[in-house]
């Protein structure tokens, strides 16, 4: 069974239809890259998966559970949105770190807030917070930042900040990691260190959806590639199928621009 199924997903802003019926599935441990020109709907798709935007139509199914159905109001309760977001770890273009917290503080914050809602927190506060801190140190170490735990965002390079953002997403153990152009805000020399971390996650069978313009990276790391244009999926398949043997003219034209 697919861990993620998206069925007929649409999103409109007033009279502008940005997503026009998106269908795909993703198996556990697969990496899917979304490619396409700016404005094709890739970021909107990620934001719909993470409930930062509410889809206009369609279904989102995670591990067999319908977490959103535009025709079923029971799946759209605001009180349930935060819980449903826990399925998806989101890494944005611009890091979005809290400047007043250290790297470790940023990584631990969400889990600490959730812990405080636990009925057992009051009686086991120290043990629970110590365990969360230990997990945060482990995850920051896994992305190569064991010596930056107490650094604030302004003391870190762009690449280091993005690795903190990845660690923060990992901290809540999401079913699916979503990356929205994770290297677009980085200088070329810092891009490699972030891609190296994402590649390591792929090697550990993390399930990921990645919006990217890094074509070489998408070719090497992805199990599936979706090419989007004007709110629809024009072509999808393995990296070899899409990059080496595209069948649609729009896909060919897009890839030719990147190969020039």
């Amino acid at each position: 069974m697919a861990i993620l199924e998206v069925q007929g997903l649409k999103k409109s802003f007033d009279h502008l239809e940005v997503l026009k019926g998106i269908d795909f599935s993703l198996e556990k441990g697969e990496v899917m890259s979304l490619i396409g020109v700016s404005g094709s709907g890739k970021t909107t798709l990620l934001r719909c998966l993470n409930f930062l935007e509410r889809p206009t139509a369609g279904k989102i199914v995670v591990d067999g559970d319908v977490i959103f159905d535009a025709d079923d109001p029971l799946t759209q309760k605001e009180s349930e949105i935060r819980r449903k977001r826990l399925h998806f770890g989101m890494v944005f273009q611009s890091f979005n770190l809290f400047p007043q917290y250290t790297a470790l503080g940023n990584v631990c914050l969400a889990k600490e807030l959730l812990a405080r809602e636990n009925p057992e927190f009051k009686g086991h506060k120290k043990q629970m917070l110590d365990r969360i801190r230990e997990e945060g140190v482990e995850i920051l170490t896994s992305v190569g930042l064991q010596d930056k735990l107490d650094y604030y965002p302004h003391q870190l390079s762009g690449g280091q900040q993005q690795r903190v953002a990845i660690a923060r997403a990992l901290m809540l153990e999401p079913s699916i990691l979503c990356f929205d152009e994770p290297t677009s805000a980085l200088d070329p020399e810092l891009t490699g260190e972030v891609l190296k971390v994402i590649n390591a996650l792929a090697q550990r069978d993390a399930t990921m959806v990645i919006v990217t313009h890094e074509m070489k990276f998408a070719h090497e790391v992805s199990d599936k590639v979706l090419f989007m244009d004007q709110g629809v999926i024009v072509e999808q398949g393995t990296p070899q199928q899409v990059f080496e043997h595209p069948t649609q003219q729009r896909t060919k034209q897009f890839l030719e621009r990147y190969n020039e």
Side-chain angles (χ1 to χ4, degrees):
M1 180 186 293
I3 194 169
L4 174 63
E5 297 175 81
V6 174
Q7 304 169 7
L9 204 69
K10 297 182 179 181
K11 175 61 183 175
S12 296
F13 296 96
D14 295 326
H15 300 296
L16 177 63
E17 193 173 34
V18 178
L19 299 178
K20 303 175 183 178
I22 301 296
D23 295 275
F24 68 84
S25 64
L26 190 64
E27 300 294 325
K28 185 176 176 60
E30 285 188 327
V31 177
M32 183 175 74
S33 290
L34 303 177
I35 63 173
V37 298
S38 297
S40 59
K42 307 182 300 297
T43 293
T44 299
L45 174 55
L46 285 194
R47 291 177 65 85
C48 285
L49 292 179
N50 199 46
F51 297 100
L52 294 170
E53 302 289 352
R54 187 179 296 248
T56 309
K59 288 184 182 180
I60 301 171
V61 183
V62 176
D63 208 12
D65 180 23
V66 178
I67 66 170
F68 178 85
D69 182 347
D71 296 324
D72 182 359
L74 292 178
T75 68
Q76 302 175 47
K77 292 181 178 179
E78 287 293 336
S79 59
E80 293 291 304
I81 293 300
R82 188 176 68 168
R83 181 182 65 82
K84 292 178 179 181
R85 279 184 180 146
L86 295 177
H87 290 294
F88 300 92
M90 190 77 171
V91 179
F92 300 91
Q93 297 180 25
S94 55
F95 321 142
N96 286 7
L97 301 179
F98 292 103
Q100 69 271 35
Y101 291 106
T102 63
L104 184 59
N106 268 281
V107 169
C108 294
L109 180 60
K111 200 156 192 175
E112 287 179 355
L113 293 174
L114 288 172
R116 292 177 188 277
E117 298 176 5
N118 189 319
E120 298 182 2
F121 181 77
K122 203 167 185 180
H124 301 85
K125 178 178 178 179
K126 185 177 187 307
Q127 299 97 308
M128 293 176 76
L129 292 180
D130 284 350
R131 180 55 193 151
I132 290 170
R133 181 181 172 86
E134 289 172 6
E135 292 174 7
V137 171
E138 289 172 8
I139 290 175
L140 281 167
T141 298
S142 75
V143 298
L145 293 174
Q146 62 273 17
D147 59 340
K148 305 293 183 183
L149 303 178
D150 297 322
Y151 281 53
Y152 289 88
H154 74 273
Q155 297 173 305
L156 300 171
S157 70
Q160 289 167 340
Q161 289 185 63
Q162 191 62 297
R163 282 188 278 159
V164 173
I166 293 171
R168 178 179 58 187
L170 289 169
M171 188 69 176
L172 294 175
E173 302 178 79
S175 301
I176 300 140
L177 280 167
C178 298
F179 295 86
D180 185 15
E181 293 282 7
T183 61
S184 67
L186 301 178
D187 294 332
E189 62 268 22
L190 299 177
T191 294
E193 66 185 63
V194 172
L195 296 182
K196 183 178 178 181
V197 169
I198 299 174
N199 190 27
L201 291 171
Q203 297 302 314
R204 299 205 298 267
D205 294 326
T207 307
M208 296 186 281
V209 179
I210 307 171
V211 172
T212 184
H213 281 105
E214 301 286 346
M215 296 299 121
K216 183 175 183 293
F217 174 76
H219 195 309
E220 293 174 350
V221 173
S222 306
D223 297 292
K224 292 181 178 177
V225 176
L226 271 61
F227 170 64
M228 291 183 63
D229 190 24
Q230 298 179 32
V232 300
I233 296 173
V234 175
E235 189 158 3
Q236 62 179 302
T238 66
Q240 290 73 25
Q241 290 169 331
V242 174
F243 287 115
E244 298 172 21
H245 306 288
T247 61
Q248 302 300 311
Q249 188 60 30
R250 278 190 284 178
T251 313
K252 293 176 183 178
Q253 291 172 344
F254 172 79
L255 293 174
E256 283 171 0
R257 288 200 295 273
Y258 274 91
N259 292 328
E260 288 176 353

